[in-house]
Amino acid sequence: MPKKPLILVTNDDGITAPGIRALIQTMNTIGDVVVVAPDSPQSGMGHAITLDSTLYLERVYIDEGKQIEYNCSGTPADCVKLAISEILDRRPDLCVSGINHGSNSSINVIYSGTMSAALEAGIEGIPSIGFSLLDYNWNANFEAAQYFAKTIVQNVLKNGLASGVVLNVNFPKLEQKDIKGVRICRQAKANWVEEFDKRISPQGKAYYWLTGKFVNLDHGEDTDEWALDNGYVSIVPVQFDLTAHYCIQNLNTWNFND
Amino acid sequence: MPKKPLILVTNDDGITAPGIRALIQTMNTIGDVVVVAPDSPQSGMGHAITLDSTLYLERVYIDEGKQIEYNCSGTPADCVKLAISEILDRRPDLCVSGINHGSNSSINVIYSGTMSAALEAGIEGIPSIGFSLLDYNWNANFEAAQYFAKTIVQNVLKNGLASGVVLNVNFPKLEQKDIKGVRICRQAKANWVEEFDKRISPQGKAYYWLTGKFVNLDHGEDTDEWALDNGYVSIVPVQFDLTAHYCIQNLNTWNFND
């Protein structure tokens, strides 16, 4: 019997979030699962790592599944680093992060703790996927996401991923029968326009809440936003070499010696 | 007389760090300077944003310069968002972040609060540069960095930057006379190998400190690491469209419908 793949599961909503419980359940049908996930929500943590304080790891038993689980006091990126360095006795065959409660499409990839965990595993040379569902509800329905996550994971285990690339997968908020399929996409050129909510504390001090409006002026049919708006699962291959190679030639014409 | 450029200055080491004081001093010779920077060190914060708590802004007077300054309770990315949305009465002509105490070359760009501030401004459509000096000392010598930062800023103000691109500038730890010049580079394919320092608390509980070793197996002479090792200032054009476009064709051959 061939050896089962070793799958590391993490997220940024915290180890008890329904999204990661759904992902663990699905991964248990594919391989041997080890979970290392934050003990509290870490949304919007980007690629933060913990340099100035200590990290705790704790073996936990959350449900009846056959997975082995640890919660961690750190960020999603910390979880991946600790898992690889301190917990797993061999390199995992795959890292999956999520299923996030809420979108990580287009520019959200930059702010996303879910994707930073996936990127961290990618940096360590492990094939890696971040999954997100376009539904912020704690009691969201993850059934369709689980179905497609399984298919996508099986493809990655079979075909591998190019070095330096991880997948950013987003699921529309639809039932499985209404999802048209999977589309490989590019990241839409969209962004958040901030609208800070300014308030005055009981002590008379001004403070702000970050809110904002998502603005997408990029209507290309090859974008993740288009795919999601039109009933598809979006997959964007994401890289952590951030070099804008096409700019190098032009920048070489600048004069830095005057 | 032409209007002076409006320059937003921020960092991740905190508003009183010598690196940002040096950058403010240099920017004061070029334009009208507004500083919005964290009230405490934020190194390793990646592109974190504050979603679950409130943000404070406070007008502060730190030294005799003509800049206008605010400190902020949030992350570097929060500072940029607040500056643009709540403080500045027009769009800045430039955002500069740093000068960071320590390298943000190669993969460090992903973990860097300095670069996340620069990227945030870039996402908002503002020409933007992150500056870092390869010297972690609080009393590092920023003179050469100031000299080259001025030249680079003048080039950006004159030539502009392509939409979607910000500059990641690193300075070697050398005196100005020993720096050979400026090189446009790609991000070296290097990474950190974690070495967690595991300890036991007085209460008997295990905890970890994140430490690590920087490993660079990419010796290309077009990389930022090569430039810095060989006495040059490195400039990497960095993009926030993370799509690995070259992978899309191959992924389209996968089968998601079985």
Side-chain angles (χ1 to χ4, degrees):
Chain A
M1 204 176 79
K3 206 171 165 183
K4 278 189 176 177
L6 177 59
I7 303 175
L8 172 64
V9 181
T10 189
N11 79 340
D12 78 341
D13 289 319
I15 198 163
T16 59
I20 193 171
R21 306 319 304 171
L23 189 57
I24 293 165
Q25 196 180 60
T26 302
M27 293 306 109
N28 274 339
T29 69
I30 299 176
D32 293 326
V33 174
V34 175
V35 182
V36 184
D39 58 11
S40 62
Q42 300 277 324
S43 293
M45 280 308 282
H47 210 100
I49 50 176
T50 301
L51 298 172
D52 292 339
S53 66
T54 54
L55 293 167
Y56 291 92
L57 269 178
E58 190 180 14
R59 182 90 156 82
V60 288
Y61 303 85
I62 292 174
D63 60 24
E64 292 298 306
K66 65 190 174 91
Q67 71 281 356
I68 294 167
E69 301 198 56
Y70 296 82
N71 72 20
C72 170
S73 61
T75 67
D78 291 331
C79 288
V80 171
K81 286 177 180 286
L82 272 166
I84 294 169
S85 176
E86 296 295 318
I87 294 173
L88 300 171
D89 54 9
R90 68 176 179 95
R91 268 187 113 50
D93 300 292
L94 182 74
C95 173
V96 291
S97 177
I99 300 169
N100 191 60
H101 292 245
S103 172
N104 282 314
S105 60
S106 72
I107 196 66
N108 298 303
V109 68
I110 295 268
Y111 305 102
S112 163
T114 302
M115 283 308 299
S116 89
L119 282 163
E120 184 61 39
I123 291 167
E124 306 256 3
I126 297 158
S128 178
I129 315 169
F131 294 107
S132 306
L133 173 63
L134 272 63
D135 188 342
Y136 287 93
N137 283 320
W138 204 245
N139 60 355
N141 181 350
F142 285 97
E143 275 178 38
Q146 286 177 288
Y147 170 81
F148 284 103
K150 184 165 183 172
T151 308
I152 292 165
V153 162
Q154 285 168 329
N155 264 278
V156 168
L157 289 171
K158 181 179 156 203
N159 300 304
L161 279 176
S163 165
V165 171
V166 310
L167 300 185
N168 181 17
V169 178
N170 282 268
F171 305 108
K173 186 183 170 179
L174 292 172
E175 288 187 39
Q176 191 178 324
K177 67 180 172 50
D178 298 321
I179 293 179
K180 292 184 193 151
V182 173
R183 276 176 80 102
I184 312 300
C185 307
R186 65 173 173 85
Q187 175 185 326
K189 294 186 207 310
N191 65 298
W192 288 89
V193 176
E194 279 72 42
E195 291 167 352
F196 282 96
D197 184 348
K198 184 177 181 176
R199 301 184 180 187
I200 305 295
S201 77
Q203 293 76 33
K205 193 170 173 185
Y207 66 96
Y208 301 84
W209 286 101
L210 173 57
T211 68
K213 201 169 58 186
F214 184 69
V215 177
N216 179 21
L217 302 173
D218 178 358
H219 301 300
E221 296 192 4
D222 56 346
T223 65
D224 50 1
E225 292 301 322
W226 188 94
L228 293 161
D229 284 347
N230 287 274
Y232 293 91
V233 174
S234 69
I235 301 183
V236 177
V238 164
Q239 60 194 350
F240 42 85
D241 175 359
L242 306 190
T243 312
H245 290 276
Y246 68 96
C247 288
I248 289 178
Q249 195 179 358
N250 173 260
L251 290 174
N252 272 319
T253 67
W254 289 16
N255 184 355
F256 297 107
N257 302 313
D258 280 359
Chain B
M1 204 176 78
K3 203 170 168 185
K4 278 190 177 177
L6 177 60
I7 304 175
L8 172 63
V9 181
T10 189
N11 78 341
D12 78 342
D13 289 319
I15 197 163
T16 58
I20 193 171
R21 306 318 303 170
L23 188 57
I24 293 165
Q25 196 181 57
T26 302
M27 293 305 109
N28 273 338
T29 68
I30 299 176
D32 293 326
V33 173
V34 175
V35 182
V36 184
D39 59 10
S40 61
Q42 299 278 323
S43 293
M45 279 308 282
H47 210 102
I49 51 175
T50 302
L51 297 174
D52 292 338
S53 66
T54 54
L55 292 166
Y56 291 92
L57 268 178
E58 189 179 14
R59 182 92 157 82
V60 288
Y61 303 85
I62 292 173
D63 61 25
E64 293 298 306
K66 66 189 173 87
Q67 72 281 354
I68 294 168
E69 301 198 56
Y70 296 82
N71 72 20
C72 171
S73 60
T75 66
D78 291 331
C79 289
V80 170
K81 286 176 180 287
L82 272 166
I84 293 170
S85 175
E86 296 294 319
I87 294 173
L88 299 171
D89 53 9
R90 68 176 180 94
R91 270 189 111 49
D93 300 291
L94 182 74
C95 173
V96 290
S97 178
I99 301 170
N100 191 59
H101 292 245
S103 172
N104 281 314
S105 60
S106 73
I107 196 65
N108 298 303
V109 68
I110 296 268
Y111 305 101
S112 162
T114 302
M115 284 308 299
S116 89
L119 283 163
E120 184 60 40
I123 291 167
E124 306 256 3
I126 297 159
S128 179
I129 315 170
F131 293 108
S132 307
L133 173 64
L134 272 63
D135 188 344
Y136 286 93
N137 282 321
W138 204 244
N139 60 356
N141 180 351
F142 285 97
E143 275 177 40
Q146 286 177 288
Y147 170 81
F148 283 103
K150 185 166 184 172
T151 309
I152 292 165
V153 161
Q154 285 168 330
N155 265 278
V156 168
L157 289 171
K158 181 178 156 207
N159 301 306
L161 278 177
S163 166
V165 171
V166 310
L167 300 185
N168 181 17
V169 178
N170 283 268
F171 304 108
K173 185 183 170 180
L174 292 172
E175 288 186 38
Q176 192 177 325
K177 66 178 172 52
D178 298 321
I179 293 180
K180 292 184 194 151
V182 172
R183 276 176 81 102
I184 313 299
C185 307
R186 67 173 172 86
Q187 175 185 325
K189 293 186 208 312
N191 66 298
W192 288 89
V193 176
E194 280 71 41
E195 290 168 355
F196 283 94
D197 183 349
K198 183 176 182 177
R199 301 183 181 189
I200 305 295
S201 77
Q203 292 75 33
K205 194 170 171 185
Y207 65 96
Y208 300 85
W209 288 101
L210 173 56
T211 69
K213 200 169 59 187
F214 184 69
V215 177
N216 179 21
L217 301 174
D218 178 357
H219 302 300
E221 296 193 3
D222 56 346
T223 64
D224 50 1
E225 291 302 321
W226 188 93
L228 292 160
D229 284 347
N230 286 274
Y232 292 92
V233 174
S234 68
I235 301 183
V236 177
V238 164
Q239 60 193 352
F240 42 85
D241 175 359
L242 306 191
T243 312
H245 290 276
Y246 69 95
C247 287
I248 288 178
Q249 196 178 355
N250 174 260
L251 290 174
N252 272 318
T253 67
W254 289 15
N255 185 356
F256 298 107
N257 302 312
D258 280 359

